[in-house]
Amino acid sequence: MAFSSFTWPFRRQSSSGGGGAGTSKPSAAEGKEEEELGVTPQLLDFLRTLSPDAFKSSAVQLNQGDSAEAVGELSDWQQRHAVLVLGRAKELAKIRYDLCPRHMKDKQFWTVYFLLSRSYILP
């Protein structure tokens, strides 16, 4: 089976402009989508302060707590937010790469992420 038959949600979008590498400012439409999905400059600043240990300790607390939320499927909004935030916050992408699946499952990572960042994400 060829790799091209698999879908990959993190494909790079080709830009119509010339060779500017690195992160660029989002277009007006992308900026509106980021705002709707809660990816704000404050959230991105907060994500730069996170470490793998923050995720590990939060995961342990979730597992020990009697009222821990059940790890379920991400909603459509959460999935779109996750794809967008991974593209904008390379630090978070690195933490996820370091932790999943060796230290925690992907669903658990996103549960912890949404709990840690809930005060920064717009409803």
Side-chain angles (χ1 to χ4, degrees):
M1 182 177 269
F3 284 111
S4 61
S5 63
F6 294 108
T7 59
W8 182 249
F10 307 111
R11 289 187 188 198
R12 292 181 187 226
Q13 296 177 349
S14 60
S15 61
S16 58
T23 56
S24 61
K25 287 194 169 187
S27 69
E30 290 171 337
K32 184 171 176 15
E33 180 185 23
E34 285 183 2
E35 188 176 312
E36 289 174 359
L37 293 175
V39 181
T40 62
Q42 295 82 10
L43 174 65
L44 296 174
D45 288 342
F46 169 71
L47 295 179
R48 288 185 193 98
T49 67
L50 291 179
S51 68
D53 290 334
F55 278 83
K56 288 178 187 177
S57 63
S58 296
V60 168
Q61 290 174 359
L62 275 177
N63 290 338
Q64 291 176 351
D66 293 337
S67 63
E69 296 177 23
V71 178
E73 295 294 322
L74 295 178
S75 69
D76 184 49
W77 183 91
Q78 288 175 322
Q79 289 176 8
R80 290 175 39 222
H81 174 90
V83 170
L84 184 60
V85 80
L86 283 176
R88 296 280 287 144
K90 299 302 180 191
E91 300 86 359
L92 183 66
K94 183 182 180 332
I95 291 171
R96 181 174 171 252
Y97 177 80
D98 291 343
L99 293 178
C100 300
R102 283 173 261 155
H103 299 284
M104 65 178 62
K105 294 181 180 181
D106 201 50
K107 287 181 183 181
Q108 187 178 22
F109 174 86
W110 287 112
T111 299
V112 170
Y113 165 79
F114 282 110
L115 287 173
L116 291 174
S117 61
R118 69 179 172 241
S119 63
Y120 295 92
I121 298 174
L122 299 174

